Amino acid sequence: PTKAAVLPLVKKDGLPEIAHKIIDDLKWDFNVVYDEKDAVGRRYRRQDAAGTPFCITVDHQTLEDQTVTIRHRDTMQQKRIAIATVNDTIANEVGIRHWLKKTE
């Protein structure tokens, strides 16, 4: 099942490129989708209907501080997190053990 959807707020200003980088990182551990069609509210509803537990929104603040908004479908809570922590955040929330791909 799809665990996350990555949604750039708009289709310009470099936001889709950042969204695709996030997808490229997450796709190794989770089933993820990219969606840029329609307004972000409609995309949230579409992902809710599909059962996607997390929506990750890339917006203009992302360009400034490398953070994204992550929204949890079940609680509707949204919070800003660093792009570097997205993978671990999803892994912790879905209750799977996440193995870091680091060489020692």
Side-chain angles (χ1 to χ4, degrees), residues 7-23:
L7 318 170
L9 192 61
V10 293
K11 300 180 204 178
K12 58 183 181 178
D13 301 333
L15 302 184
E17 290 79 5
I18 294 171
H20 283 293
K21 287 179 185 175
I22 294 169
I23 289 273

Side-chain angles (χ1 to χ4, degrees), residues 2-95:
T2 302
K3 295 296 181 197
V6 181
L7 318 170
L9 192 61
V10 293
K11 300 180 204 178
K12 58 183 181 178
D13 301 333
L15 302 184
E17 290 79 5
I18 294 171
H20 283 293
K21 287 179 185 175
I22 294 169
I23 289 273
D24 289 342
D25 181 47
L26 294 178
K27 71 182 179 184
W28 299 104
D29 297 312
F30 310 103
N31 287 328
V32 292
V33 296
Y34 174 85
D35 188 356
E36 66 177 18
K37 185 176 183 271
D38 298 323
V40 74
R42 287 185 183 204
R43 290 183 264 168
Y44 280 150
R45 286 192 295 279
R46 187 165 42 244
Q47 294 305 321
D48 290 349
T52 307
F54 299 99
C55 287
I56 300 156
T57 306
V58 177
D59 57 24
H60 290 93
Q61 185 176 336
T62 304
L63 298 171
E64 297 170 19
D65 61 11
Q66 296 297 299
T67 64
V68 293
T69 301
I70 187 164
R71 174 184 175 270
H72 194 289
R73 175 198 66 214
D74 297 337
T75 64
M76 297 295 178
Q77 287 185 319
Q78 297 185 34
K79 61 182 176 179
R80 298 272 326 164
I81 63 171
I83 291 173
T85 65
V86 170
N87 199 312
D88 289 335
T89 300
I90 294 172
N92 290 335
E93 291 288 331
V94 298

